[in-house]
Every structure is written in C-alpha cells, then in structure tokens.
Amino acid sequence: EVHLVESGGGLVKPGGSLRLSCAASGFSFSTYSINWVRQAPGKGLEWVSSISSSSTYIYYSDSVKGRFAISRDDAKNSLSLQMNSLRVEDTAVYYCARDGRGSTGRYFDYWGQGTLVTVSS
Amino acid sequence: QSALTQPASVSGSPGQSITISCTGSSSDVGDYNYVSWYQQHPGKAPKLMIYEVTNRPSGVSDRFSGSKSGNTASLTISGLQAEDEADYYCSSYTSSSTELFGGGTKVTVL
C-alpha cells in the first residue's frame, strides 16, 4: 500500500527557514515524480513544486521560486522541501503528492496527511 | 498565473445530477488533456477522482465523470449522495510545465 508521511512543520518567524520531509513507502519511489502542494487555512489548493525521477526536471510556482528548494533521496525513499525567507503568506498545510503520470502532464494519485507550517512573529 | 475559475458552490438534492465547471485558458485547460479533479472532505487530504479529463481511478464510483470543451472542463456527479458533500478542485498542467488548481467548489447535498 502506498504511504506518504510528511514531517518537519512548525512555527517559524518571518524571514526564517524550515525543512519539510516526506517519507514514502509501498511503491518504487525512484521511478515517480513527486510534488508539494499546499493549502492555506480555509483556502484552496496551491501547487508548489515538483521533482521528476532522477531529479532531471524540477519546477516551482512563481510564489516560491528562488526561496524554496525541492530535492529527493532515492536511497532513503524520501523527499525534502527546504523553505527559506519564509513569509506570513507561506502559512499552510503542506502535502506531498505522488504524480501518477510520470511524463508530460501530471495528476496526484496519492497524498500524504500533510504537515502544518505557520509563519508568524 | 491566476487560479482556474470554479463556481464557489453548487448544490443538489439526493439522486440529482450536478456539474462543476473549471475554466482556464489556451495555455492550460485548452491546450492539454491533463485536467484532473480532486475531492476533499473537511480535515482530510484530497482524493483523486478524475484524471486526464475523463479517466476514473480504480475504486472511484462511476457516478463521477469528466469532460472538456475548449478552455472549460467539467465534473459531473450523477445520483448525488450525502457522502458526495465535500470541496472539489480541478487542476491543469500548463504550458510552463507547472500545475494550476481551481479555487474550489463546495458541493452541498440538500
């Protein structure tokens, strides 16, 4: 069974940094693209970033480009999101989500339970 | 890029059919058959309901169906049931290789 478990969320001050992790199991992690999707409290979903197999292709939303960095460790079946220069508007539940397509185009067939990041002074 | 446009809310009685629209542009919905739909119950992670415009994942009821015309995709729920009450989001691949979500639609079963 596919499992994605996020961790690393918490309270951080504006301008601070935080590193999120996503532990994967139940599938061949190295062969799938994985994404981060966030949801601000009471708001809709927002795609944040994706990383392809072998880290060949990496994409970011304009709202986080230059501040966030996605990476993966296939040996440990894990995904990370390094978040720097955090802003109040980055406050959200962050989900990791598997891309079921694996080539041009994407859809998110499995999701973790999410980890809450709160940016506040 | 702005979010895809969805109605804020749609409602229907049990057994009825409802349709949720998702309007984008020629750079996303209109140019790719990579539209997907997600159901989210309060406090839960989203669940994939439709992918690549019309495809249903294994285990998703055939009461859910998807379509697309031009820059607008649609999700139809037939035979509405109480358990269908949730938020629904569309998403589309874009010409920038990014992903764009809709603002979400709250479905209420009357």
Side-chain angles (χ1 to χ4, degrees), chain B residues 3 5 10-11 13 18 20 27 36 40 42 45 47 50 52 57 60 62 64 68 76 86 89 103 106-108:
Chain B
T5 301
V10 173
S11 62
S13 299
I18 61 170
I20 303 168
S27 298
S36 48
Q40 187 180 35
K47 175 186 176 183
I50 295 287
E52 293 170 3
V60 171
D62 61 4
F64 292 84
K68 191 186 88 166
T76 297
Y89 296 90
K106 182 176 181 60
V107 168
T108 301

Coordinates of all heavy atoms in Angstrom, one line a residue, chain B residues 3 5 10-11 13 18 20 27 36 40 42 45 47 50 52 57 60 62 64 68 76 86 89 103 106-108:
Chain B
A3 N -5.6 31.4 -10.6 CA -6.2 30.1 -10.5 C -7.2 29.8 -11.6 O -7.8 30.8 -12.1 CB -6.8 30.0 -9.1
T5 N -10.9 29.0 -12.8 CA -12.2 29.5 -12.3 C -13.2 28.4 -12.1 O -13.6 27.8 -13.0 CB -12.7 30.6 -13.2 OG1 -11.8 31.7 -13.3 CG2 -14.0 31.2 -12.6
V10 N -22.1 24.7 -5.4 CA -23.1 24.0 -6.2 C -23.8 23.1 -5.2 O -23.3 22.5 -4.3 CB -22.4 23.2 -7.3 CG1 -23.5 22.3 -8.0 CG2 -21.7 24.1 -8.3
S11 N -25.1 23.1 -5.4 CA -25.9 22.2 -4.5 C -26.9 21.4 -5.3 O -27.3 21.7 -6.5 CB -26.7 23.1 -3.5 OG -27.6 24.0 -4.1
S13 N -30.2 18.0 -4.7 CA -30.9 17.0 -3.8 C -30.3 15.6 -4.1 O -29.8 15.4 -5.2 CB -32.4 17.1 -4.1 OG -32.9 18.4 -3.8
I18 N -25.3 17.0 -10.7 CA -24.8 18.4 -10.7 C -23.5 18.4 -11.5 O -22.9 17.3 -11.7 CB -24.5 18.9 -9.3 CG1 -23.4 18.0 -8.6 CG2 -25.7 19.0 -8.4 CD1 -22.9 18.6 -7.3
I20 N -19.9 20.7 -12.2 CA -19.0 21.8 -11.7 C -18.1 22.2 -12.9 O -17.5 21.3 -13.5 CB -18.1 21.3 -10.5 CG1 -19.0 20.8 -9.4 CG2 -17.2 22.4 -10.1 CD1 -18.2 20.0 -8.3
S27 N -3.5 28.3 -22.5 CA -2.2 27.9 -22.0 C -2.3 26.7 -21.0 O -1.2 26.3 -20.5 CB -1.5 29.1 -21.3 OG -1.3 30.1 -22.3
S36 N -7.4 17.2 -14.0 CA -7.8 16.3 -13.0 C -8.7 16.9 -12.0 O -8.8 18.2 -11.9 CB -6.6 15.6 -12.3 OG -5.6 16.6 -12.0
Q40 N -12.2 16.7 -1.6 CA -11.6 16.9 -0.2 C -12.7 17.1 0.8 O -13.5 18.0 0.8 CB -10.7 18.1 -0.2 CG -9.9 18.2 1.1 CD -8.9 19.4 1.1 OE1 -9.2 20.5 0.6 NE2 -7.8 19.2 1.8
P42 N -13.6 17.8 4.9 CA -13.0 18.6 5.9 C -12.0 17.9 6.7 O -12.2 16.8 7.2 CB -14.2 19.1 6.8 CG -15.4 19.0 5.8 CD -15.1 17.9 4.9
A45 N -7.0 14.8 3.5 CA -6.2 15.1 2.3 C -7.1 14.9 1.1 O -8.1 14.2 1.1 CB -5.0 14.1 2.2
K47 N -8.5 13.7 -2.6 CA -8.5 12.4 -3.2 C -8.8 12.6 -4.7 O -9.6 13.3 -5.1 CB -9.7 11.6 -2.6 CG -9.9 10.2 -3.3 CD -11.2 9.6 -2.8 CE -11.5 8.3 -3.5 NZ -12.8 7.7 -3.0
I50 N -10.8 12.2 -10.9 CA -10.8 12.1 -12.4 C -9.4 12.5 -12.8 O -8.9 13.5 -12.2 CB -11.8 13.0 -13.0 CG1 -13.2 12.6 -12.7 CG2 -11.6 13.1 -14.5 CD1 -13.7 11.3 -13.4
E52 N -6.7 13.1 -16.4 CA -6.7 13.2 -17.9 C -8.1 13.4 -18.5 O -8.5 12.7 -19.4 CB -5.9 12.0 -18.5 CG -4.5 12.0 -18.1 CD -3.7 10.8 -18.4 OE1 -4.3 9.8 -19.0 OE2 -2.5 10.7 -18.1
P57 N -9.9 6.8 -11.6 CA -9.0 5.8 -10.9 C -9.9 4.6 -10.4 O -11.1 4.7 -10.2 CB -8.5 6.6 -9.7 CG -8.7 8.0 -10.1 CD -9.9 8.1 -10.9
V60 N -13.1 4.6 -7.7 CA -13.9 5.8 -7.7 C -15.2 5.4 -8.4 O -15.2 4.8 -9.5 CB -13.2 6.9 -8.5 CG1 -14.2 8.1 -8.7 CG2 -12.0 7.4 -7.7
D62 N -18.6 5.2 -10.6 CA -18.9 5.7 -12.0 C -19.9 6.8 -12.0 O -20.3 7.2 -13.1 CB -19.2 4.5 -12.8 CG -20.5 3.7 -12.4 OD1 -21.1 4.2 -11.4 OD2 -20.8 2.7 -12.9
F64 N -19.2 9.6 -11.0 CA -18.3 10.7 -11.3 C -17.8 10.6 -12.7 O -17.3 9.6 -13.1 CB -17.1 10.8 -10.3 CG -17.5 11.1 -8.9 CD1 -18.0 10.1 -8.1 CD2 -17.5 12.4 -8.4 CE1 -18.4 10.4 -6.8 CE2 -17.9 12.7 -7.1 CZ -18.3 11.7 -6.3
K68 N -14.5 17.9 -21.3 CA -13.8 19.2 -21.6 C -14.3 19.7 -22.9 O -14.5 18.9 -23.9 CB -12.3 19.0 -21.6 CG -11.5 20.3 -21.6 CD -10.0 20.1 -21.8 CE -9.7 20.0 -23.3 NZ -8.2 20.1 -23.5
T76 N -19.1 16.0 -13.5 CA -20.5 15.8 -13.3 C -20.6 14.7 -12.2 O -19.9 13.6 -12.3 CB -21.2 15.3 -14.6 OG1 -21.2 16.4 -15.5 CG2 -22.7 15.0 -14.3
A86 N -18.7 17.8 -0.2 CA -17.2 18.0 0.0 C -16.8 19.2 -0.9 O -17.6 19.8 -1.6 CB -16.4 16.7 -0.4
Y89 N -11.8 20.3 -6.4 CA -10.9 21.1 -7.0 C -10.5 20.5 -8.4 O -10.3 19.3 -8.5 CB -9.6 21.2 -6.2 CG -9.8 21.9 -4.9 CD1 -10.1 21.2 -3.7 CD2 -9.6 23.3 -4.7 CE1 -10.3 21.8 -2.5 CE2 -9.8 23.9 -3.5 CZ -10.1 23.2 -2.4 OH -10.3 23.8 -1.2
G103 N -10.1 27.4 -7.8 CA -10.3 27.9 -6.4 C -11.1 27.0 -5.5 O -11.2 27.3 -4.3
K106 N -17.6 24.2 -3.3 CA -18.2 23.4 -2.2 C -19.5 22.8 -2.7 O -20.4 23.6 -3.1 CB -18.5 24.4 -1.0 CG -19.1 23.7 0.2 CD -19.3 24.6 1.3 CE -19.9 23.9 2.6 NZ -19.0 22.8 3.0
V107 N -19.6 21.5 -2.6 CA -20.9 20.8 -3.0 C -21.7 20.5 -1.8 O -21.2 19.9 -0.8 CB -20.5 19.5 -3.8 CG1 -21.8 18.7 -3.9 CG2 -19.9 19.9 -5.2
T108 N -22.9 21.0 -1.8 CA -23.9 20.7 -0.7 C -25.0 19.8 -1.2 O -25.6 20.1 -2.3 CB -24.4 22.1 -0.2 OG1 -23.4 22.9 0.2 CG2 -25.4 21.8 0.9

